[in-house]
Amino acid sequence: MSFSTWAGSNQPNNSNNISANPNGKNSEDMDISVHLEETLSEIKQVLGDSDDFMVYGFQVFGQHPAVLLYFSDMTDHAVINNTILKPLKYGPRHIDVHNLPHDALMEAIMKDTLYHSEGFSERKISVITDNLLRGQSVVAIEGLDEAIIFDTRQITQRAIEQPATEQVIRGAREGFIESLGTNISLLRYRLQTPDFRVKSMEIGTKTKSKVAICYMDGITNPGIIKEVQKRLDAIEIDAVLDSGYLEQFIEDNHWSPFPQIQYTERPDKVVANLLEGRVAILVDGSPLALIAPTVFSQFYQTVEDYTERFVLMSAIRMSRLVALVFSLVFPSLYVAIISFNPELIPTEFAVAVAGGRAGVPFPAVIEVLVIEISMEVLREATIRLPQQVGGALSIVGVLVIGQAAVAAGFASPITVVIIALTTIGSFATPAYNAALALRLLRFPLIILAGIFGLYGVMVGIILITNHLLSLKSFGVPYLGPFVPGNFQGMRDLLTRGPLWKMKNRPSFLHPMNKTRLGDQMKEQVDHSSSHIMDPVHPNDEKGR
């Protein structure tokens, strides 16, 4: 059988992915052969039989047998035809390709023939097959012990759009997508500085997912970078399908309900954290970037906190904190007061509450637990249903089921109000994973309140606080800068201080460059003494 007939056909190959050779080595450990048929046989033994694996035979410069290998659904065919096949078939005009020595063939192809700027030569079968599986194309030529690999990958991807999980009023409308290259370009667009560094690695024995570690050289502490790389290097898993896989492996405390690593879809949020001295981890195929180290205060902060004026956003942040506290302790306080300390309620209000609970057959703790569990089930059903149906279900569930429960004497009106306020408070927490932790901790607090009253609530809060004090994220205290205390960092804790007052980066991150504002910045932003258009001083030069 002639070479052209054998190379042009894609016959089934029932051999195993990695087969032994007579010399005792696996196919992936070998170099390619100068004989084209042997090279193709080794590659097919590794890749197996796939209908989308294409083997196209042709002749380089019309005289050297060669094959082009690629997976048809992952490559750009226009690039293959115009920048690879066309120049290789016809050759450059300024070189006599017919009298070209065979030992000069590779140099002539790489330097004088190809139009593709991202081609490189490779000998190892393992490297060649890995690049084929990523969507690259490979050209192997008879008589050469090196193959040429080209970047021809083309994967259909969605457009850059506003993040669905992090709505913003004032700020950028761009969000990460699944392509790692696009996500890094969004970061470089905002960080046009040579200090921005990207380190890549592969994780996953089957998926071989590309993971990028991003940081700012000269700002991020080298100890944090080394610790992140150490924890990622220790991961051995078949597949990394999302950045959430990595989060579960590299967090400090695996049993804590509180997230110790922040994730986000927003490039501007990642850039802001990089400039503070943190590290971002991006995974090819995931639109969510991980940010480490993380402190608890990050989970109730939003982009608008820094794009709007500090007085207004400080008030909004305080209301957000009140909603956060509501979502945690409001139901347990209600149960404790109703069951053990009704004397704390004003008389008129106590009469109204007692009248509403007159026909309810359950104690307060059982009533609140049942309504809370029903609300969690309704919330989960709303998320999982199609978007067109989910909105209608949430409205019907809240209005109809709540009203029917009160009318049937199953729950009191005040209990429905308490649970509704608690649910709204959990919605006000910007971070979904932090809100989920608070939602889950409500239930043990309610049980403690039903057994021990206010003492149980206080014991539960003390236990939660002690747990938060013990948590660390890559060695950084979880409640920093509150514990350990730092006055400069507290300006951005409960309220948001003026930007020109926050001169230093967070001290708990131990950044290499601690200052982010110039020494004269306070004087430059103080314009109260400028009266350039004041009509009281007619002799002053105005607007000149």
Side-chain angles (χ1 to χ4, degrees):
M1 181 170 54
S2 65
F3 164 75
S4 59
T5 305
W6 177 75
S9 62
N10 198 3
Q11 297 182 359
N13 191 334
N14 297 323
S15 60
N16 295 329
N17 285 349
I18 299 178
S19 60
N21 284 273
N23 56 10
K25 292 185 178 180
N26 289 332
S27 297
E28 289 191 339
D29 297 331
M30 296 182 59
D31 295 341
I32 68 171
S33 171
V34 294
H35 301 294
L36 195 55
E37 293 189 4
E38 294 182 8
T39 299
L40 279 172
S41 177
E42 298 295 342
I43 293 176
K44 283 194 170 186
Q45 283 180 352
V46 176
L47 297 179
D49 178 34
S50 298
D51 292 338
D52 60 339
F53 179 56
M54 309 304 297
V55 180
Y56 176 76
F58 67 102
Q59 289 189 335
V60 175
F61 304 154
Q63 54 185 336
H64 303 285
V67 290
L68 172 67
L69 312 174
Y70 62 95
F71 283 94
S72 59
D73 297 327
M74 298 178 64
T75 54
D76 188 340
H77 294 269
V79 173
I80 291 176
N81 295 332
N82 297 327
T83 65
I84 300 176
L85 288 179
K86 185 176 179 180
L88 284 179
K89 285 184 176 182
Y90 294 101
R93 296 182 179 179
H94 61 283
I95 296 178
D96 185 6
V97 295
H98 297 287
N99 298 321
L100 185 69
H102 196 274
D103 56 357
L105 179 60
M106 178 62 74
E107 183 177 0
I109 291 174
M110 298 297 292
K111 294 184 178 181
D112 299 310
T113 304
L114 291 174
Y115 301 153
H116 204 287
S117 63
E118 297 186 18
F120 63 95
S121 59
E122 180 57 49
R123 286 188 173 90
K124 289 291 183 182
I125 294 290
S126 59
V127 178
I128 293 173
T129 53
D130 286 348
N131 280 274
L132 283 170
L133 292 170
R134 291 192 187 97
Q136 321 292 20
S137 299
V138 175
V139 172
I141 304 172
E142 178 72 27
L144 296 182
D145 60 351
E146 291 180 305
I148 309 174
I149 300 175
F150 302 93
D151 184 9
T152 57
R153 180 177 180 178
Q154 185 183 47
I155 306 296
T156 303
Q157 59 190 28
R158 63 186 177 95
I160 297 174
E161 54 191 16
Q162 184 171 347
T165 58
E166 295 177 88
Q167 298 295 328
V168 63
I169 298 175
R170 184 174 181 176
R173 297 296 193 270
E174 294 176 332
F176 288 131
I177 61 174
E178 286 71 18
S179 172
L180 179 61
T182 303
N183 295 340
I184 294 177
S185 68
L186 290 174
L187 297 180
R188 285 206 176 273
Y189 167 68
R190 291 168 171 81
L191 282 174
Q192 300 180 22
T193 170
D195 296 333
F196 178 55
R197 299 284 192 271
V198 179
K199 302 296 182 181
S200 300
M201 63 175 62
E202 289 182 359
I203 301 178
T205 57
K206 300 300 182 184
T207 60
K208 296 182 180 179
S209 303
K210 192 173 183 180
V211 178
I213 303 173
C214 305
Y215 62 94
M216 294 295 294
D217 187 33
I219 296 179
T220 307
N221 191 294
I224 296 177
I225 302 172
K226 291 180 181 179
E227 184 64 22
V228 171
Q229 291 178 331
K230 175 185 174 182
R231 297 188 186 187
L232 291 177
D233 288 336
I235 298 176
E236 294 184 7
I237 189 174
D238 285 348
V240 177
L241 304 180
D242 186 79
S243 58
Y245 285 62
L246 302 183
E247 178 185 1
Q248 298 174 62
F249 280 103
I250 65 177
E251 62 182 357
D252 290 60
N253 190 331
H254 302 287
W255 301 100
S256 174
F258 292 97
Q260 297 131 62
I261 297 176
Q262 189 180 25
Y263 65 82
T264 180
E265 285 187 85
R266 304 192 59 82
D268 52 349
K269 191 172 183 178
V270 172
V271 169
N273 283 275
L274 291 177
L275 291 173
E276 288 187 343
R278 293 183 174 88
V279 175
I281 304 171
L282 290 83
V283 180
D284 194 14
S286 173
L288 296 171
L290 303 180
I291 299 173
T294 299
V295 294
F296 182 72
S297 61
Q298 291 178 251
F299 293 106
Y300 58 80
Q301 297 172 353
T302 62
V303 176
E304 293 93 342
D305 289 359
Y306 304 94
T307 56
E308 281 285 357
R309 291 174 293 167
F310 72 95
V311 176
L312 303 178
M313 297 318 299
S314 295
I316 297 298
R317 181 180 290 185
M318 291 298 295
S319 66
R320 207 180 295 138
L321 286 170
V322 171
L324 185 147
V325 174
F326 265 33
S327 65
L328 177 64
V329 302
F330 208 33
S332 56
L333 286 177
Y334 168 73
V335 170
I337 293 174
I338 291 297
S339 303
F340 292 90
N341 302 98
E343 68 276 3
L344 297 178
I345 309 176
T347 305
E348 295 81 2
F349 186 59
V351 173
V353 171
R357 290 187 50 80
V360 178
F362 308 109
V365 60
I366 300 298
E367 180 188 7
V368 170
L369 282 175
V370 171
I371 299 298
E372 276 282 8
I373 294 173
S374 302
M375 186 62 69
E376 292 297 326
V377 172
L378 180 62
R379 189 202 307 253
E380 186 66 18
T382 304
I383 294 175
R384 303 304 168 192
L385 279 175
Q387 186 176 1
Q388 293 80 1
V389 183
L393 175 65
S394 62
I395 297 174
V396 171
V398 171
L399 295 180
V400 177
I401 298 178
Q403 183 63 32
V406 173
F410 187 79
S412 63
I414 185 63
T415 303
V416 175
V417 172
I418 294 296
I419 301 303
L421 291 176
T422 304
T423 305
I424 294 174
S426 65
F427 287 150
T429 304
Y432 171 78
N433 48 0
L436 181 59
L438 297 176
R439 283 162 48 189
L440 294 179
L441 290 173
R442 282 205 301 261
F443 291 97
L445 282 180
I446 292 173
I447 295 174
L448 288 174
I451 298 175
F452 303 106
L454 289 176
Y455 295 104
V457 176
M458 291 307 301
V459 169
I461 293 176
I462 291 172
L463 292 176
I464 293 173
T465 304
N466 286 336
H467 175 67
L468 289 174
L469 289 170
S470 67
L471 280 181
K472 289 186 177 181
S473 176
F474 289 84
V476 174
Y478 197 58
L479 291 184
F482 184 70
V483 178
N486 178 266
F487 178 74
Q488 175 72 20
M490 290 183 186
R491 293 176 176 175
D492 193 28
L493 188 61
L494 301 180
T495 60
R496 204 220 85 186
L499 292 179
W500 59 88
K501 289 285 188 180
M502 296 186 291
K503 182 179 179 180
N504 298 326
R505 294 183 172 90
S507 60
F508 52 81
L509 295 174
H510 303 287
M512 303 299 293
N513 183 359
K514 299 181 179 180
T515 305
R516 54 184 169 189
L517 287 180
D519 294 334
Q520 305 299 323
M521 196 62 203
K522 178 63 176 69
E523 289 75 11
Q524 293 176 5
V525 298
D526 188 5
H527 306 299
S528 59
S529 60
S530 300
H531 302 286
I532 190 64
M533 301 302 291
D534 192 346
V536 179
H537 306 283
N539 295 326
D540 292 343
E541 294 185 1
K542 302 184 186 303
R544 298 182 182 178

